């Protein structure tokens, strides 16, 4: 399939090259007039000509015939600019466009326009903005894997198509994932549960590293991945794109098509995504699990194939005083689990897992996530009211071979665990600007969850969970470059777990020596209430090209149903898990510092943090066993953590850029049964070296860019039993990005080629789900993707 894609690419591109020989190129940079910093996302628009500035402020307009042209320069937060240029017989290079920030009037509402970068600089929280260009160039098999290149962000991977975010060594429900203002609610408490989010069609993401409970509430104790709504289409416009993807490691075929349009006030968006992939390959031919050797056929990690079908649509309205958009989305996936990840039962299985690399046999899961959200903003004089409403239905079926366990007879079907989760969300926020010094925000968040269970295997009980919080936040401008932020929040929560009995009888010895057969009770009706105060205070100071930040925050997290009331065998982890009804909410205190210096030539920055948990919740292995399975119990301990990220980059020449980043986290339990040990899934010291070279036009290829990423990861010797030491490794990834003008003077087609794990290195990721059973990371993978706009 990739061979045919390459042939088609070559043929179409040669045709395009022949048609473009008489045309020229206009290129240059867009800079902030005050700071001389590059400005990304600027629209440069002329008659039948169009470009958008990159992260480095660079823009290029290809296939420009000789003539005189007038261009309009637009960007939110900057005054509109124009320039006229005449193209005669050569390319025009090195144009410098400087933009000044503006104040825009919106029918009586005065808005101070600021770039996203400036807004981030003024906030004391440590955040990273991710734009569409980054997402396109670094796209991996899941959204969270795509974000892995950002310092301080890693993932817990579950096969080739699933993952969940980890920020500074903390993951699961300690990181909130927010999409269109609504917190994504699935079954992310499980090690083997990924996030059901279509990564196509996303334009920007804001990643907050550190405590963010003030605005986002419980579960944002470690940070937030905020997937922000896309920009509203221009009036009387229609556009779309087709994304094609092929990969060699797991024979993936993917296509995603999106369209958007707008009349004057009404607009819409729609997208359909389909992905089908086979078992992925690892650089080994055998797996050693519990001293049992599993042979792999042709290096395929058997039964890791899958299929995804996603669809979304939104309808919106915008006018002078109101903006509203309603989103409908459905993400459906069927993914196989590596057969041996379900314990040693596979030794007696009659399934031929090697008969086909595209089959999805037992064990597997099917997940469907349906979501409806509405975001409405009202502009009323000095107030901006924002209302977010959401409904989510998450249906998860986990299927495995019906095998008897202990006193459990052979189950009647393969549906081991079923989760049906309904979530209703409401957020209301009033942003009030009483004067030029203060930006006040008052907000309310509420959420209601109902989670039902089914299947023959019990792990967590059905439950209802209600949470509500109210907060106030003030951004005080001491002067134009000196900003103070602070706020307080109060939350209440209610968790009601429901009773559950085994579907089979278990013999129980009576005091009189007799034996009875009873339906054991695994969970009881319990009603638990929680409440908490949290807050933060911070300063930011901008001194020309240098930004200084300091922030102190207190966050909290309500215990989950699995932590409070689990009581069953988790066959995916091959252990018995038991909850603790006496757990208290996690409370965390964190001090963050950030120093960043950025110019047009280079940047350097450092982001250290110090963190203390009063009562960190984790699953602790005990010396007790249940039917040959080790019992793990949830417990709490005090935890001290520190670490941070460092980054640097330099433009050695206009074409060559070098970047380096490093991240480190130290964790230590200072109380509890694992005192003086670290905490589970602690990432090791890691560094990333990147080199990017921007070529001039090569034949039909417009400004091809070659990037090499070399990751160096130290050994993780600091573990908590029963974790095992993970050796250090180095891996090299290569990528090439370019554009080709396929259809006249319209937007160019984007082409990307990536090779991950170039040397097919066998290495282990300490935060991978499959690391627990000694499965290495995927081997060499060649991917080719194409984005065709229309």
């Amino acid at each position: 399939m990739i061979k045919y894609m390459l042939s088609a690419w070559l043929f179409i591109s040669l045709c395009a090259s022949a048609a473009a020989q008489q045309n020229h190129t206009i290129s240059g940079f867009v800079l902030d007039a005050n700071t001389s910093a590059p400005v990304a996302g600027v629209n440069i628009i002329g008659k039948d000509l169009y470009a958008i500035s990159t992260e480095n402020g660079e823009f290029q307009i290809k296939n420009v015939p000789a003539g005189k042209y007038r261009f309009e320069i637009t960007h939110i937060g900057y005054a509109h600019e124009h320039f006229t240029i005449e193209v005669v017989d050569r390319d025009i290079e090195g144009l410098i466009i400087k933009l000044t920030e503006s104040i825009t009037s919106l029918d009586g509402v005065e808005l101070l326009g600021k770039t996203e970068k400036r807004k981030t600089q003024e906030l004391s929280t440590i955040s990273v903005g991710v734009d569409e260009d980054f997402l396109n160039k670094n796209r991996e098999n899941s959204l969270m894997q795509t974000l892995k290149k950002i310092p301080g962000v890693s993932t817990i991977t579950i096969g080739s198509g699933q993952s969940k975010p980890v920020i500074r060594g903390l993951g699961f429900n300690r990181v909130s994932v927010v999409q269109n203002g609504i917190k994504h609610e699935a079954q992310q408490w499980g090690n083997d549960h990924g996030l059901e989010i279509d990564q196509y069609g996303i334009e920007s993401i804001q990643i907050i590293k550190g405590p963010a409970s003030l605005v986002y509430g419980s579960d944002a104790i470690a940070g937030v991945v905020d997937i922000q709504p896309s920009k509203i289409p221009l009036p009387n416009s229609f556009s779309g794109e087709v994304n094609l993807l092929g990969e060699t490691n797991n024979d993936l075929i993917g296509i995603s098509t999106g369209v958007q349009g707008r009349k004057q006030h009404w607009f819409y968006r729609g997208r359909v995504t389909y992905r089908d992939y086979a078992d992925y390959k690892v650089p080994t031919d055998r797996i050693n699990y519990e001293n049992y050797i599993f042979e792999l056929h042709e290096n395929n990690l058997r039964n890791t194939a899958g299929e995804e079908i996603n669809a979304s649509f939104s309808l919106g309205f915008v006018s002078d005083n109101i903006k509203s958009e309603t989103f409908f989305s459905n993400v459906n996936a069927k993914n196989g689990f590596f057969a041996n990840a379900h314990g040693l039962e596979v030794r007696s299985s009659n399934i031929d897992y090697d008969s086909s690399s595209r089959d999805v046999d037992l064990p597997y899961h099917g997940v469907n996530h349906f979501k409806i959200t509405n975001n409405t903003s009202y502009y009323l004089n000095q107030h901006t009211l924002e209302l977010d409403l959401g409904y989510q239905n998450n249906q998860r079926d986990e299927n495995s071979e019906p095998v008897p366990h202990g006193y459990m007879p052979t189950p009647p079907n393969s549906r081991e665990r079923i989760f049906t989760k309904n979530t209703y969300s409401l957020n209301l926020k009033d942003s009030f600007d009483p004067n030029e010094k203060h930006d006040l925000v008052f907000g309310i968040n509420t959420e209601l969850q109902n989670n039902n269970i089914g299947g023959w295997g019990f792990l967590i009980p059905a439950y209802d969970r209600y949470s509500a919080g109210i907060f106030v936040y003030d951004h005080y401008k001491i002067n134009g470059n000196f900003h103070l932020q602070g706020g307080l929040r109060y939350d209440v929560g209610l968790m009601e777990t429901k009773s559950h009995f085994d579907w089979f009888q278990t013999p129980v010895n009576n005091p009189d020596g007799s034996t009875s057969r009873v339906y054991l009770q695994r969970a009881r009706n319990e009603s638990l209430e929680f409440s908490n105060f949290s807050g933060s205070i911070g300063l930011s100071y901008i001194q020309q090209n240098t930004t200084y930040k300091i922030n102190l925050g207190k966050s909290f997290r309500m215990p989950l149903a699995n932590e409070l009331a689990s009581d069953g065998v988790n066959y995916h982890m091959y252990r018995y898990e038991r909850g603790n009804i006496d757990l208290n909410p996690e409370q965390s205190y964190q001090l963050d510092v950030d120093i960043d210096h950025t110019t047009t030539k280079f940047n350097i920055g450092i982001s250290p943090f110090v963190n203390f948990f009063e009562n960190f919740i984790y699953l602790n292995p005990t010396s007790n066993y249940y039917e040959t399975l080790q019992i793990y119990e949830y417990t709490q301990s005090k935890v001290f953590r520190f670490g941070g990220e460092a980054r640097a980059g330099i433009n050695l020449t206009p074409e060559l850029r070098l970047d380096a980043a490093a991240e480190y986290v130290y964790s230590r339990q200072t109380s509890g049964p694992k005192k003086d040990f670290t905490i589970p899934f602690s990432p090791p010291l890691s560094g990333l070296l990147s080199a990017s070279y921007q070529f001039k036009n090569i034949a039909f290829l417009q400004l091809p860019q070659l990037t090499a990423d070399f990751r160096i990861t130290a050994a993780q010797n600091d573990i908590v039993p029963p974790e095992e030491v993970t050796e250090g490794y180095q891996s090299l990834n290569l990528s090439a990005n370019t554009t080709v003008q396929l259809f006249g003077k319209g937007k160019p087609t984007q082409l990307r080629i990536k090779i991950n794990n170039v040397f097919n290195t066998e290495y282990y990721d300490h935060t991978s789900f499959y690391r627990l059973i000694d499965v290495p990371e995927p081997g060499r993978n060649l991917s080719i993707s194409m984005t065709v706009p229309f």
Side-chain angles (χ1 to χ4, degrees):
M1 187 274 295
I2 290 180
K3 175 181 177 182
Y4 295 139
M5 288 181 67
L6 284 171
S7 299
W9 174 17
L10 181 60
F11 174 76
I12 295 173
S13 301
L14 286 173
C15 294
S17 175
Q21 291 178 356
Q22 304 302 318
N23 295 334
H24 305 284
T25 298
I26 300 173
S27 62
F29 293 88
V30 183
L31 307 178
D32 186 293
N34 294 325
T35 65
S36 295
V39 183
V42 176
N43 297 293
I44 301 99
I45 306 171
K47 185 178 180 180
D48 297 326
L49 298 171
Y50 178 77
I52 300 178
S53 62
T54 66
E55 186 176 353
N56 296 325
E58 185 176 7
F59 71 91
Q60 299 207 349
I61 306 172
K62 298 300 180 181
N63 297 327
V64 182
K68 195 172 185 179
Y69 298 92
R70 186 175 188 271
F71 291 92
E72 181 180 7
I73 317 300
T74 64
H75 192 280
I76 296 176
Y78 285 103
H80 288 200
E81 300 288 347
H82 299 85
F83 75 88
T84 302
I85 195 166
E86 186 173 3
V87 179
V88 185
D89 57 358
R90 63 173 63 92
D91 293 346
I92 297 177
E93 301 176 344
L95 283 177
I96 300 297
I97 300 173
K98 292 190 175 182
L99 300 181
T100 56
E101 293 185 354
S102 68
I103 296 178
T104 304
S105 177
L106 181 62
D107 285 0
V109 181
E110 190 178 75
L111 301 176
L112 176 61
K114 296 179 181 178
T115 64
E116 291 302 322
K117 181 177 180 180
R118 177 71 184 191
K119 292 177 184 178
T120 301
Q121 287 177 315
E122 293 181 357
L123 295 177
S124 61
T125 51
I126 313 304
S127 61
V128 178
V130 179
D131 60 16
E132 191 174 15
D133 185 61
F134 176 94
L135 295 172
N136 288 335
K137 289 182 178 179
N138 297 279
R139 197 178 305 282
E140 297 290 345
N141 277 316
S142 70
L143 175 61
M144 300 309 157
Q145 289 171 322
T146 299
L147 301 177
K148 193 175 181 179
K149 193 174 178 179
I150 297 172
V153 179
S154 56
T155 61
I156 296 176
T157 55
I158 309 105
S160 61
Q162 304 175 76
S163 62
K164 64 184 67 180
V166 174
I167 295 180
R168 291 173 165 174
L170 299 176
F172 300 94
N173 281 70
R174 294 182 180 91
V175 175
S176 284
V177 178
V178 177
Q179 187 173 27
N180 298 328
I182 297 296
K183 188 188 303 182
H184 183 81
E185 291 288 357
Q187 303 289 341
Q188 57 262 46
W189 54 268
N191 296 61
D192 49 329
H193 302 164
L195 293 177
E196 303 83 29
I197 294 178
D198 187 354
Q199 65 173 318
Y200 287 97
I202 297 174
E203 291 185 2
S204 64
I205 299 174
Q206 196 73 16
I207 298 175
I208 300 174
K209 295 186 288 186
S213 291
L214 175 63
V215 176
Y216 296 92
S218 179
D219 296 353
I221 198 167
V224 176
V225 178
D226 190 350
I227 304 170
Q228 300 179 341
S230 300
K231 296 176 183 177
I232 297 175
L234 296 174
N236 301 308
S237 65
F238 173 82
S239 62
E241 65 178 24
V242 177
N243 295 276
L244 302 173
L245 174 63
E247 296 189 352
T248 60
N249 183 278
N250 59 354
D251 298 328
L252 180 146
I253 301 173
I255 181 171
S256 181
T257 301
V259 296
Q260 63 176 10
R262 176 180 169 185
K263 292 297 184 180
Q264 186 61 37
H265 297 295
W266 291 93
F267 62 93
Y268 64 90
R269 317 177 207 264
R271 179 168 294 275
V272 176
T273 300
Y274 174 77
R275 287 158 42 96
D276 183 272
Y277 49 91
D279 299 342
Y280 73 90
K281 301 176 181 63
V282 292
T284 185
D285 56 5
R286 58 180 57 192
I287 301 295
N288 185 339
Y289 176 47
E290 297 287 343
N291 296 319
Y292 186 84
I293 303 298
F294 295 97
E295 302 289 341
L296 301 181
H297 177 65
E298 297 180 352
N299 302 103
N300 287 322
L301 198 64
R302 53 199 186 190
N303 204 46
T304 55
E307 180 184 55
E308 299 175 22
I309 304 175
N310 311 321
S312 63
F313 177 79
S314 73
L315 182 65
F317 177 85
V318 61
S319 66
D320 294 339
N321 297 314
I322 186 173
K323 180 180 69 174
S324 182
E325 187 170 9
T326 301
F327 302 84
F328 303 84
S329 68
N330 194 80
V331 175
N332 184 276
K334 180 180 180 180
N335 308 95
F337 286 112
F338 174 46
N340 311 114
H342 210 264
L344 299 177
E345 298 169 355
V346 70
R347 292 178 297 177
S348 59
S349 173
N350 58 8
I351 298 176
D352 184 3
Y353 288 104
D354 298 324
S355 62
S356 171
S357 63
R358 302 198 86 89
D359 284 349
V360 178
D361 288 308
L362 298 170
Y364 72 86
H365 71 203
V367 184
N368 191 89
H369 195 98
F370 175 71
K371 184 185 298 185
I372 303 175
T373 61
N374 174 267
N375 307 123
T376 300
S377 299
Y378 299 91
Y379 306 102
L380 304 171
N381 298 323
Q382 294 173 299
H383 293 265
T384 299
L385 298 177
E386 298 177 59
L387 175 64
D388 302 323
L389 299 172
Y391 167 72
Q392 300 174 71
N393 174 267
N394 183 272
Q395 179 69 37
R396 181 182 186 89
D397 290 12
E398 299 182 2
N399 292 263
S400 63
E401 288 190 79
V403 177
H405 297 93
Y407 295 107
M408 178 196 298
T410 302
N413 52 51
S414 66
R415 303 183 73 181
E416 178 187 348
R417 296 190 302 197
I418 302 172
F419 302 101
T420 304
K421 185 175 184 180
N422 294 291
T423 303
Y424 305 85
S425 305
L426 183 150
N427 303 323
L428 179 62
K429 184 169 65 174
D430 178 14
S431 301
F432 174 51
D433 301 332
N435 52 53
E436 294 183 356
K437 291 291 186 179
H438 290 272
D439 292 332
L440 291 169
V441 179
F442 303 90
I444 298 173
N445 311 112
T446 63
E447 186 178 83
L448 174 63
Q449 297 179 19
N450 168 256
N451 200 13
N452 294 310
I453 63 171
W456 47 261
F458 175 79
L459 184 58
I460 70 170
Y463 67 86
D464 292 324
R465 173 179 165 174
Y466 175 74
S467 61
I470 182 170
F471 67 91
V472 59
Y473 170 83
D474 186 22
H475 182 156
Y476 176 61
K477 305 176 187 65
I478 300 173
N479 59 48
N481 293 318
F482 197 15
H483 298 258
L484 169 68
Q485 298 97 38
L488 292 172
R489 180 185 180 99
Y490 179 69
D491 285 89
V492 295
L494 175 66
M495 172 72 78
E496 294 184 340
T497 61
K498 301 177 182 179
S499 65
H500 182 88
F501 292 84
D502 282 343
W503 60 275
F504 58 92
Q505 293 182 333
T506 298
V508 174
N509 294 325
N510 298 318
D512 61 0
S514 62
T515 300
S516 301
R517 300 184 65 86
V518 300
Y519 296 96
L520 291 181
Q521 186 171 14
R522 297 293 183 183
R524 302 180 183 278
N525 289 319
E526 297 282 354
S527 182
L528 302 172
E529 295 181 0
F530 303 97
S531 61
N532 187 82
F533 275 103
S534 57
S536 70
I537 186 169
L539 288 167
S540 68
Y541 178 63
I542 305 169
Q543 185 181 36
Q544 294 181 345
N545 294 322
T546 306
T547 303
Y548 304 89
K549 297 184 178 186
I550 184 169
N551 192 78
L552 176 63
K554 175 183 181 290
S555 288
F556 86 106
R557 183 180 70 87
M558 286 176 53
L560 304 174
N562 61 303
E563 297 166 332
L564 294 166
S566 59
D567 188 16
V569 177
N570 187 344
Y571 293 105
H572 292 295
M573 307 300 295
Y574 213 59
R575 66 192 181 200
Y576 194 97
E577 299 179 6
R578 182 170 290 158
N580 182 350
I581 205 69
D582 296 321
L583 293 177
N584 295 313
E586 285 184 341
Q587 298 191 68
S588 168
Y589 302 85
Q590 184 159 315
L591 177 67
D592 284 283
V593 175
D594 183 77
I595 302 174
D596 182 86
H597 181 78
T598 301
T599 69
T600 56
K601 293 293 185 182
F602 73 95
N603 70 280
I604 187 170
I606 185 171
S607 303
F609 73 91
V610 178
N611 175 224
F612 176 71
F613 276 89
E614 283 189 347
N615 38 25
F616 184 84
I617 301 173
Y618 70 101
L619 196 57
N620 179 53
T622 70
S623 58
N624 300 319
Y625 284 80
Y626 176 88
E627 297 178 359
T628 74
L629 295 175
Q630 189 175 10
I631 296 176
Y632 285 60
E633 294 181 343
Y634 282 98
T635 188
Q636 292 185 286
S637 65
K638 299 181 185 297
V639 173
F640 174 74
R641 305 168 65 247
F642 71 84
E645 303 84 45
R647 57 199 179 273
I650 185 171
N651 295 316
L652 289 180
T653 69
E655 297 81 18
L656 178 61
R657 178 174 176 82
L658 302 179
D659 287 282
E663 54 190 271
Y664 175 71
V665 175
Y666 171 90
S667 301
R668 189 65 60 218
Q669 298 187 49
T670 60
S671 68
K674 290 296 187 294
K675 183 180 178 181
D676 296 327
F677 283 98
T678 186
I679 59 177
F681 286 106
S682 292
L685 172 66
S686 178
L688 180 66
L689 305 175
S690 298
S692 179
Y693 191 86
Q694 179 73 69
F695 294 88
K696 296 184 182 298
N697 292 350
I698 302 176
F700 54 86
L701 303 178
Q702 300 176 2
L703 297 174
Q705 185 182 62
L706 180 65
T707 302
D709 293 330
F710 186 65
R711 183 171 291 278
I712 305 172
T713 302
Q716 182 53 288
N717 299 309
D718 191 13
I719 59 173
V720 54
E723 285 184 334
E724 296 182 358
V725 170
T726 302
E727 296 181 357
Y729 65 89
Q730 301 83 43
S731 64
L732 176 66
N733 299 334
L734 297 176
S735 64
N737 300 273
T738 188
T739 59
V740 175
Q741 200 71 40
L742 295 182
F743 307 106
K745 299 176 183 178
K747 294 181 181 180
T749 295
Q750 299 177 7
L751 298 171
R752 295 172 291 272
I753 300 176
K754 293 184 64 178
I755 306 177
N756 286 347
N757 195 1
V758 173
F759 299 111
N760 204 37
T761 304
E762 181 180 356
Y763 68 94
Y764 297 85
D765 186 341
H766 191 74
T767 62
S768 170
F769 167 64
Y770 284 146
R771 169 67 182 95
L772 300 175
I773 54 173
D774 293 325
V775 173
E777 293 302 291
R780 183 187 299 111
N781 180 43
L782 168 65
S783 66
I784 299 177
S785 62
M786 176 186 299
T787 299
V788 183
F790 58 86

